[in-house]
Amino acid sequence: MRKTLYASTLAIILAALATSAGAQTTRNATAARVAATQAAADTLPLPTADAVLTVDLRRLFTEVMPRALAGDAARAAQVNADVEQFKSRTGIDPREFDTVAAGARIVPLPSGAVKFDRVTAVARGRFRSDALVAAARTASKGTLAEQQYGGKTVYVSVINDQLKLFGVVKSHVRELAFAVLDANTLAVGEPEDVRAAIDAQAGRGRADMSILNFPRAATDFAAFAGRIPAGALSGVETGLPNVDRAIASIRGFYGTAGSTAAGLQLMTTLRAGSEADAKQLFNTADAMRLVAPGLISAAGDKAKWAQGLVNSLKLTQKGTEVQARLEVPQSEVATILRSL
């Protein structure tokens, strides 16, 4: 599975007390559930990776997406169609899983692009392995191959097409493999990556999930983090030497995506090599934010919500870190999704 990201270019006292106590109990229960889900995702056996992503799939499919698309039946239908297509092509039903963790290597390209390579997903949920394998055989029209590795069976089917992995992330898939790691855990990727996940479960070549050890809110349904390999961003050329140097100095990143009735909360933090480089990154991002209104004015009917996003963007710098926070009102979420 391959993805490429170009580097150049989140009263009445008694009644009040009773209500507050009930609400606090609900909040505590929700926070505990979210914390447990986060912990479960963070311990999934991913093979060695430069970048990792965890997603609460159950919340995504039962809460976040329905709320985001409540006013857009056509887009909601398309999301459901994407999930069904992934199921029909692979035999894997994303709705059977609670959490998924994905890992990838970061590879620089001569063009200045950064390729996310060796993408592997490990999902945990409630599924019957025999039913899943049978569905995969049906989906592959009898061509599902089997390989033995590390005491596990790796099932491989030829896809060679664009597919939304778990109904969410679009990618070109050549061969899709999966292996049942245990009664509740499934590894998915290309054959070599699934074999690496089997090794990771056995304690060999496991991803360092400690990069996800940063504060997260109970409303977050996704978290991501990564370490940039030395020199991976050195090919960036903006024509501004100070900016190029600051971008090349980025050593890592982390962030979250959260959802409430009010909308989406998005956060991304870049960690630079020095405080001076972080200041340059902040100044560059802030300058782009200031000139954005002039560029947005040519966006036609998209200009209003785009300007709203720019206005809600909050940039801060502390030490070697630059953080961007974005609040997307619920009324604008469907508009943004339609533009993707």
Side-chain angles (χ1 to χ4, degrees):
M1 292 179 283
R2 303 291 181 256
K3 294 288 290 180
T4 301
L5 171 69
Y6 288 88
S8 58
T9 326
L10 258 195
I12 300 173
I13 294 177
L14 292 179
L17 286 175
T19 302
S20 176
Q24 186 61 46
T25 299
T26 300
R27 285 193 296 271
N28 289 344
T30 299
R33 177 184 61 78
V34 171
T37 301
Q38 291 175 349
D42 294 357
T43 57
L44 287 170
L46 278 177
T48 301
D50 297 313
V52 296
L53 163 72
T54 64
V55 180
D56 185 334
L57 283 177
R58 191 156 298 278
R59 277 194 66 204
L60 182 67
F61 288 127
T62 64
E63 177 188 330
V64 179
M65 296 301 287
R67 182 163 56 202
L69 299 173
D72 192 339
R75 183 70 177 180
Q78 183 59 57
V79 170
N80 289 330
D82 291 337
V83 173
E84 287 298 328
Q85 183 193 37
F86 183 74
K87 179 182 177 182
S88 67
R89 295 293 300 275
T90 68
I92 301 171
D93 188 346
R95 292 160 297 199
E96 290 184 334
F97 296 90
D98 299 317
T99 58
V100 64
R105 297 291 185 91
I106 298 176
V107 180
L109 299 175
S111 63
V114 172
K115 181 168 72 172
F116 283 76
D117 204 3
R118 302 290 302 276
V119 179
T120 313
V122 179
R124 183 166 290 153
R126 298 179 293 276
F127 64 94
R128 286 177 45 208
S129 58
D130 57 342
L132 189 150
V133 172
R137 290 192 191 284
T138 300
S140 70
K141 296 180 173 57
T143 63
L144 189 69
E146 295 185 20
Q147 304 171 358
Q148 298 302 312
Y149 183 82
K152 308 288 185 184
T153 301
V154 179
Y155 299 91
V156 184
S157 60
V158 177
I159 302 295
N160 198 28
D161 198 1
Q162 291 288 334
L163 198 64
K164 283 203 172 182
L165 303 173
F166 284 88
V168 178
V169 180
K170 188 175 183 179
S171 181
H172 184 271
V173 179
R174 188 172 60 86
E175 288 185 312
L176 188 75
F178 69 87
V180 178
L181 301 184
D182 59 44
N184 301 107
T185 310
L186 187 75
V188 181
E190 293 193 355
E192 61 181 321
D193 303 320
V194 171
R195 291 193 291 269
I198 293 172
D199 287 337
Q201 187 190 38
R204 301 185 297 272
R206 194 159 179 159
D208 180 8
M209 303 298 276
S210 68
I211 59 177
L212 289 169
N213 291 344
F214 57 88
R216 284 182 265 173
T219 54
D220 293 337
F221 63 89
F224 57 89
R227 297 189 178 101
I228 307 296
L233 300 179
S234 60
V236 176
E237 295 183 359
T238 66
L240 302 171
N242 289 341
V243 175
D244 293 348
R245 187 188 67 246
I247 293 175
S249 82
I250 296 174
R251 297 291 179 263
F253 59 89
Y254 61 88
T256 57
S259 175
T260 67
L264 296 178
Q265 301 81 45
L266 310 175
M267 182 275 286
T268 300
T269 297
L270 299 178
R271 188 174 67 254
S274 69
E275 190 167 340
D277 288 327
K279 182 63 175 177
Q280 181 65 66
L281 286 173
F282 172 83
N283 289 340
T284 302
D286 195 42
M288 293 175 64
R289 182 178 63 84
L290 293 176
V291 302
L295 301 176
I296 289 173
S297 62
D301 58 352
K302 296 181 181 180
K304 183 177 180 179
W305 64 261
Q307 183 61 63
L309 294 182
V310 171
N311 292 340
S312 70
L313 180 64
K314 306 299 182 186
L315 296 171
T316 58
Q317 182 216 340
K318 183 176 182 180
T320 61
E321 295 189 341
V322 178
Q323 186 175 100
R325 287 186 174 274
L326 182 64
E327 300 280 343
V328 183
Q330 187 60 50
S331 59
E332 301 295 345
V333 172
T335 302
I336 293 173
L337 291 176
R338 282 196 298 270
S339 69
L340 297 179

